[in-house]
Amino acid sequence: MAGNNPNSKPMNLTLKVWRQKNSQATGKLETYNIKNISPEMSFLEMMDVLNEDLLLQGIDPVAFDHDCREGICGMCSLYINGRAHGPERGTTTCQLHMRKFSDGDTITIEPWRAGPFPILKDLCTDRSALDRIQQAGGYISVNTGGVPDANEIPIPKSIADKAFDAATCIQCGACVAACKNGSAMLFTSAKVSQLALLPQGKVERKTRVENMVAQMDKEGFGACTNIGSCAAECPVGISLENIAMLNREYINASFTSENV
Amino acid sequence: MILDSKIPEGPLAEKWEKHKFNVKLVNPANKRKYDIIVVGTGLAGASAAATLAELGYNVKAFCYQDSPRRAHSIAAQGGINAAKNYQNDGDSVYRLFYDTIKGGDYRAREANVYRLAQVSVNIIDQCVAQGVPFAREYGGLLANRSFGGAQVSRTFYARGQTGQQLLLGAYSALNRQIAYGKVKMYPRTEMLDLVMVDGQARGIVTRHLVTGKIESHSAHAVILATGGYGNVFYLSTNAMGSNATAAWRAYKKGALFANPCFTQIHPTCIPVSGGYQSKLTLMSESLRNDGRVWVPKAVGDNRAPQDIPEDERDYFLERKYPSFGNLVPRDVASRNAKLACDEGRGVGTTKLAVYLDFADVIKRDGLNTVVQKYGNLFDMYAKITGENPYEQPMRIYPAVHYTMGGLWVDYNLMTTIPGLYATGECNFSDHGANRLGASALMQGLADGYFVIPYTIGDYLAQNPTARIETSHPAFKEAEAAVQTEVNRLLNVNGTRTVDDFHKALGLLMWDYCGMARNAEGLQYAKQEIRKLRDEFWRDVKILGVNEELNVTLEKAGRVADFLELGELMVDDALNRNESCGGHFREEYQTPENEALRDDENYTYVAAWQYTGTNQQPVLHKEELKFENVKLTQRSYK
């Protein structure tokens, strides 16, 4: 009972899925055949169908991270056919729909692969390194209460819009997974840019960029070589410009640092 | 049990000020001697955890997601209300208060709602100071939009991602305190029981979702900010993991559960497309600012929307409610969409949808303006349906979105268990029988930033600073009980999957305790839920062990609780022999199919007390007193 495309035919697919019992175990790709997949299904709904099948056969279902299923929480991941979040640009895995695939396709599904994201089980990885980068300085140091009226500081619309664009990062980690160096520059730069653009964030801009970059390095993320896979694969379109901005902020901070 | 709401004396506008002066304070040096547990890191939880840590308390924060920033507040789209009156269009604290009380169909507490309206203005200031990039006008000042149930523009927004930006603000404040060591964060950790010592909440038992480790945490007070229970219905706009377990386990430990039948069905969601559907996606209410809702006038009109001429369309909201038009409150819009479909005038292949049409605004304001305002929502719609909403109208249908009911709390947001607090969607207090759009974000942040930091001090100041070790027998007992429950689930070894039970429950709830209810259907549902629950414990299939990342086991625990909570919702809906807000009992309606309240007999909060599994819970009533607002038939005509 498809909503809009009554002619769409169900598909049969072959899935090659990364299975790994826990972080210590060795993993491998397992092959599963799956039938009657509606093109109206989301990719994760297809995974639900697979898991119900596996459960009934007494096989441990595939663990994968997901939560909101509307492209905003950033919990879903998956490397699908060699691409972070699959073949559709500007889309998280949860918003990818099976109409992008064809009957008879083989789909390879792997977890994010990056040193700082250890695999927990199957397709679930530990991305807490990204939280720790945020904790190193991704904030404006104001306590609750005692702040000025919201309209006291006018902010040009163009600046506010640009800050917003940077602020839409969902911290999914696709940029890291897509980068051959496993770099977290796009992710880190999004927060640095957002706060450096806004007048409220300028006060701490130097220490912020220094501390966040230091934490990024400490976590073992690779260096940026300006390839741009991160921005190409980012599901919410975080622009490469942010990395340029981070570099400017960082150089500026290095020369004029208050931390010397 | 007498429910004491502890509403301060005095005129409405002075209650909160006076109360803040009267509450006891904990001196700054003593704050570090108190530990507070916060469960949930959405707007209500993250804001509370950060603010309490700033004040000097030691905070332990818990979330089931892999990062606190993923809590489902992040998905809120449209905006946050505040009585700033920046638009000079007649808004005020009193008007926001009045709109909220009326929008809630006169089933919320006046004093709580007034306080909410008062602190709403501080929230916007706080968020801007944190760097939340709200929408702005060309002059650099903040922009506003309109939302349902109000005739002023008081909604602040960040494109269609307001919840995300507000949560990231609270998350950044939380991160700062984590870095300072004042908050210890426990992600991928689920609360499975509340621990009480001498009648007070003194800690929780958790399960780590990767290792399965069952562990105790001790504190001087516990705050539940765990969101709503919309996932009882299986299909809802909630996240897949959203659950009622923490609140439900607290209920079983003695906290009363208030107005469980008050659920909000949001009018504009993408319709169900098939049985595999795992969740429903909301299309923000802000779209009703410009989108026009319609169905064909004739029953069985199967033409494509563009082939139906203007005079054969029924813009039913504009026709029936000329003064509010498409911006009537959610309950009214949902009910009317259902009516149109029940009459056989629904659209799309399933006939369970109505159109939300943007052709007029695109013609009037141009495509670019529409892209600017709603671009991300239109993209989301296109991705899910494969249709282009710029060229053809969206198809929408109501879906479960929010639960107004929740743990009963007094004016201090304390439950009936001393030392246990509930904030945000988890409590029942501010939205009555129907929540207005853009008010959930307001309430979550009001509770966390500006209410709980004051009221919790009052309780702590009256209690000793001595800590209780987790080796205390109360903790050991609770841990053992949790372990027993986990083993019980793992030992069923049945044949039916957890999702299968969850879907069956959801269908029962939607059919008999959803947008329209009646006594006969509710009685039937009650029996069926009990049967389903028995079957669950006889036949559920869960593989694996506790000591691993076991997604099925996690879900099973949550669904077991939903199977109990669903029955309580039905009990509450049966008890309330009136229609109000989102609770529409078909027996009680006006000749125009509007909700017919019974103020004489039901102007109360129904707070339920647990008495045992398969036992009838005991009803306690908190009479609602309206000293400032006159109760009238709600009209948006």
Side-chain angles (χ1 to χ4, degrees):
Chain A
M1 56 176 205
N4 47 307
N5 191 353
N7 299 322
S8 51
K9 284 208 183 70
M11 301 180 283
N12 296 333
L13 303 163
T14 303
L15 305 177
K16 290 182 180 295
V17 184
W18 186 261
R19 302 301 313 258
Q20 182 172 331
K21 198 155 176 43
N22 53 49
S23 51
Q24 281 85 43
T26 314
K28 63 169 181 170
L29 286 169
E30 293 277 359
T31 304
Y32 303 108
N33 293 307
I34 184 165
K35 292 194 170 66
N36 283 321
I37 295 301
S38 160
E40 306 299 324
M41 278 184 197
S42 72
F43 195 85
L44 295 184
E45 284 166 351
M46 182 275 292
M47 295 293 287
D48 293 340
V49 172
L50 170 70
N51 276 344
E52 289 287 284
D53 284 357
L54 292 179
L55 254 172
L56 292 174
Q57 292 171 49
I59 301 170
D60 192 24
V62 180
F64 59 92
D65 277 323
H66 66 106
D67 203 24
C68 78
R69 294 206 178 184
E70 43 190 288
I72 194 83
C73 78
M75 189 132 171
C76 70
S77 52
L78 303 191
Y79 227 64
I80 302 165
N81 286 343
R83 293 192 56 188
H85 291 297
E88 196 180 5
R89 275 196 93 137
T91 303
T92 55
T93 294
C94 67
Q95 295 292 79
L96 176 66
H97 278 67
M98 295 313 291
R99 66 178 79 88
K100 298 286 163 188
F101 297 89
S102 310
D103 188 32
D105 277 1
T106 297
I107 307 174
T108 306
I109 308 167
E110 297 168 89
W112 282 171
R113 304 257 186 217
F117 295 164
I119 292 174
L120 299 171
K121 182 180 178 180
D122 297 337
L123 304 168
C124 299
T125 58
D126 177 358
R127 289 167 285 181
S128 54
L130 299 180
D131 281 320
R132 290 189 292 273
I133 294 175
Q134 299 275 27
Q135 288 155 19
Y139 46 76
I140 292 171
S141 299
V142 287
N143 283 353
T144 302
V147 297
D149 183 89
N151 259 349
E152 206 142 290
I153 319 161
I155 301 173
K157 187 175 179 341
S158 56
I159 299 289
D161 286 350
K162 225 172 160 178
F164 175 88
D165 288 338
T168 57
C169 166
I170 59 172
Q171 198 169 315
C172 63
C175 47
V176 177
C179 176
K180 64 172 184 172
N181 305 324
S183 168
M185 280 286 271
L186 190 68
F187 164 76
T188 308
S189 71
K191 189 49 74 181
V192 167
S193 294
Q194 178 206 339
L195 297 181
L197 280 161
L198 297 170
Q200 307 93 300
K202 289 198 195 298
V203 179
E204 298 166 281
R205 66 198 290 183
K206 290 183 198 170
T207 48
R208 177 180 307 117
V209 69
E210 288 174 321
N211 292 340
M212 289 181 80
V213 168
Q215 187 66 34
M216 184 176 82
D217 291 344
K218 193 173 150 197
E219 297 289 346
F221 290 101
C224 174
T225 46
N226 282 309
I227 307 291
S229 329
C230 51
E233 296 291 55
C234 174
V236 295
I238 300 295
S239 156
L240 217 48
E241 255 183 84
N242 291 301
I243 295 186
M245 175 125 184
L246 178 134
N247 285 330
R248 275 203 304 279
E249 288 291 313
Y250 190 75
I251 290 166
N252 181 42
S254 315
F255 285 132
T256 61
S257 178
E258 285 122 21
N259 289 344
V260 279
Chain B
M1 184 186 299
I2 293 163
L3 288 174
D4 180 4
S5 58
K6 304 214 171 84
I7 295 170
E9 296 296 316
L12 187 63
E14 291 165 27
K15 283 180 195 290
W16 180 231
E17 263 328 294
K18 276 195 178 152
H19 189 64
K20 281 198 286 185
F21 180 73
N22 287 332
V23 294
K24 294 198 170 50
L25 298 175
V26 179
N27 95 50
N30 277 344
K31 288 199 175 88
R32 71 175 75 96
K33 296 177 185 160
Y34 289 102
D35 307 327
I36 300 171
I37 283 171
V38 181
V39 186
T41 57
L43 289 178
S47 58
T51 305
L52 292 167
E54 286 163 9
L55 289 170
Y57 297 109
N58 309 304
V59 177
K60 282 181 164 190
F62 297 82
C63 67
Y64 72 79
Q65 298 90 345
D66 74 333
S67 162
R69 62 172 282 151
R70 309 215 196 278
H72 200 52
S73 303
I74 199 129
Q77 297 171 353
I80 177 166
N81 288 328
K84 281 284 198 186
N85 194 30
Y86 282 161
Q87 303 304 319
N88 194 30
D89 58 357
D91 201 9
S92 63
V93 165
Y94 195 86
R95 189 177 294 282
L96 175 53
F97 154 75
Y98 178 81
D99 286 349
T100 308
I101 287 281
K102 178 186 170 194
D105 218 355
Y106 309 97
R107 292 293 176 263
R109 246 188 231 148
E110 277 192 343
N112 285 56
V113 175
Y114 194 85
R115 175 177 65 189
L116 176 67
Q118 281 177 307
V119 303
S120 69
V121 296
N122 305 107
I123 296 171
I124 304 303
D125 299 342
Q126 188 63 36
C127 295
V128 166
Q130 290 167 345
V132 170
F134 282 121
R136 287 175 185 269
E137 305 290 356
Y138 284 100
L141 302 184
L142 293 165
N144 289 112
R145 57 168 54 142
S146 307
F147 252 65
Q151 288 173 314
V152 293
S153 280
R154 63 160 76 98
T155 305
F156 294 80
Y157 63 100
R159 254 171 258 174
Q161 289 153 256
T162 316
Q164 180 196 31
Q165 294 308 316
L166 295 177
L167 183 58
L168 294 185
Y171 165 75
S172 72
L174 179 65
N175 278 335
R176 181 168 158 247
Q177 297 305 318
I178 293 172
Y180 287 162
K182 287 304 287 180
V183 175
K184 172 100 177 85
M185 186 66 227
Y186 295 83
R188 292 201 195 259
T189 308
E190 179 163 49
M191 167 178 162
L192 291 181
D193 211 352
L194 176 75
V195 180
M196 289 167 60
V197 178
D198 300 331
Q200 290 176 308
R202 289 308 298 260
I204 61 173
V205 175
T206 59
R207 177 175 178 272
H208 191 262
L209 298 180
V210 178
T211 63
K213 190 174 178 201
I214 290 165
E215 207 177 3
S216 286
H217 302 273
S218 164
H220 295 88
V222 176
I223 300 170
L224 300 186
T226 51
Y229 48 90
N231 270 351
V232 167
F233 292 85
Y234 185 73
L235 285 182
S236 79
T237 65
N238 287 5
M240 300 302 287
S242 300
N243 68 82
T245 288
W248 193 250
R249 307 276 164 109
Y251 165 71
K252 289 172 105 169
K253 281 280 163 90
L256 299 198
F257 207 105
N259 298 336
C261 82
F262 288 170
T263 37
Q264 174 160 85
I265 317 278
H266 194 292
T268 55
C269 299
I270 300 177
V272 174
S273 68
Y276 47 79
Q277 190 106 21
S278 60
K279 80 155 275 158
L280 296 169
T281 303
L282 177 79
M283 287 284 106
S284 167
E285 178 157 310
S286 61
L287 293 170
R288 285 197 278 141
N289 269 300
D290 288 308
R292 300 181 67 196
V293 178
W294 66 277
V295 289
K297 276 188 182 160
V299 171
D301 187 339
N302 285 325
R303 287 176 290 177
Q306 58 274 19
D307 297 335
I308 301 177
E310 203 56 36
D311 61 350
E312 292 179 44
R313 299 176 177 191
D314 179 14
Y315 295 91
F316 53 90
L317 293 178
E318 296 171 29
R319 172 172 59 81
K320 288 163 102 170
Y321 308 97
S323 62
F324 280 71
N326 292 296
L327 278 179
V328 290
R330 292 175 173 176
D331 54 336
V332 179
S334 291
R335 210 149 45 234
N336 279 284
K338 179 179 187 291
L339 274 176
C341 294
D342 289 350
E343 290 161 8
R345 299 193 292 147
V347 301
T349 46
T350 61
K351 300 291 170 204
L352 284 176
V354 300
Y355 289 127
L356 180 62
D357 199 331
F358 297 88
D360 282 358
V361 63
I362 292 173
K363 214 187 296 170
R364 189 180 69 228
D365 298 344
L367 189 65
N368 276 343
T369 310
V370 176
V371 173
Q372 270 291 319
K373 268 177 153 167
Y374 309 117
N376 70 317
L377 298 170
F378 278 49
D379 289 349
M380 197 193 285
Y381 182 85
K383 271 178 200 160
I384 293 173
T385 63
E387 294 172 358
N388 181 349
Y390 294 103
E391 285 168 7
Q392 63 189 101
M394 289 183 180
R395 289 172 298 106
I396 52 154
Y397 197 67
V400 175
H401 180 54
Y402 185 90
T403 48
M404 284 75 70
L407 291 176
W408 185 89
V409 290
D410 63 17
Y411 188 72
N412 295 317
L413 306 182
M414 183 144 74
T415 67
T416 46
I417 296 176
L420 179 70
Y421 292 78
T423 59
E425 189 178 352
C426 183
N427 74 29
F428 86 102
S429 67
D430 292 0
H431 306 295
N434 173 60
R435 179 174 66 74
L436 290 182
S439 286
L441 304 186
M442 172 172 68
Q443 189 218 339
L445 291 181
D447 288 358
Y449 284 137
F450 297 111
V451 179
I452 200 89
Y454 289 92
T455 59
I456 207 167
D458 186 46
Y459 170 78
L460 293 172
Q462 299 175 57
N463 278 280
T465 55
R467 293 189 163 98
I468 294 179
E469 297 299 322
T470 54
S471 53
H472 187 281
F475 281 96
K476 291 295 144 205
E477 237 169 73
E479 277 176 37
V482 165
Q483 187 68 59
T484 306
E485 189 77 353
V486 167
N487 293 344
R488 192 174 156 219
L489 284 167
L490 286 168
N491 290 334
V492 177
N493 284 322
T495 61
R496 226 175 131 180
T497 65
V498 176
D499 279 2
D500 205 32
F501 281 104
H502 196 177
K503 282 180 191 180
L505 173 68
L507 219 53
L508 275 173
M509 296 303 293
W510 179 248
D511 287 346
Y512 301 104
C513 197
M515 255 190 292
R517 300 128 183 220
N518 61 57
E520 198 189 336
L522 288 165
Q523 267 143 6
Y524 172 77
K526 186 172 166 77
Q527 299 314 314
E528 291 302 304
I529 293 169
R530 286 196 167 194
K531 273 192 230 163
L532 194 65
R533 194 163 64 222
D534 288 346
E535 205 191 323
F536 176 87
W537 284 106
R538 263 201 329 269
D539 199 25
V540 72
K541 186 178 180 77
I542 303 161
L543 301 174
V545 295
N546 174 59
E547 291 72 25
E548 63 174 342
L549 199 166
N550 189 335
V551 179
T552 323
L553 177 63
E554 275 169 42
K555 278 199 284 197
R558 295 168 191 164
V559 171
D561 291 339
F562 285 145
L563 282 162
E564 295 177 3
L565 172 55
E567 188 182 336
L568 185 69
M569 291 166 69
V570 167
D571 283 335
D572 188 43
L574 259 175
N575 170 68
R576 195 168 279 278
N577 291 314
E578 65 162 351
S579 293
C580 56
H583 170 64
F584 191 75
R585 280 280 299 269
E586 289 168 329
E587 303 97 313
Y588 309 101
Q589 51 182 309
T590 67
E592 297 92 35
N593 307 111
E594 303 293 346
L596 186 63
R597 288 199 323 268
D598 177 353
D599 290 335
E600 202 169 314
N601 295 304
Y602 290 95
T603 309
Y604 65 75
V605 176
W608 299 87
Q609 184 185 9
Y610 180 74
T611 54
T613 317
N614 292 328
Q615 305 288 316
Q616 209 44 34
V618 175
L619 172 64
H620 300 271
K621 297 177 184 176
E622 180 202 337
E623 294 298 331
L624 290 168
K625 292 186 195 74
F626 290 90
E627 289 161 353
N628 299 276
V629 170
K630 197 169 153 280
L631 276 65
T632 57
Q633 164 75 38
R634 210 161 53 125
S635 169
Y636 292 95
K637 292 187 189 296

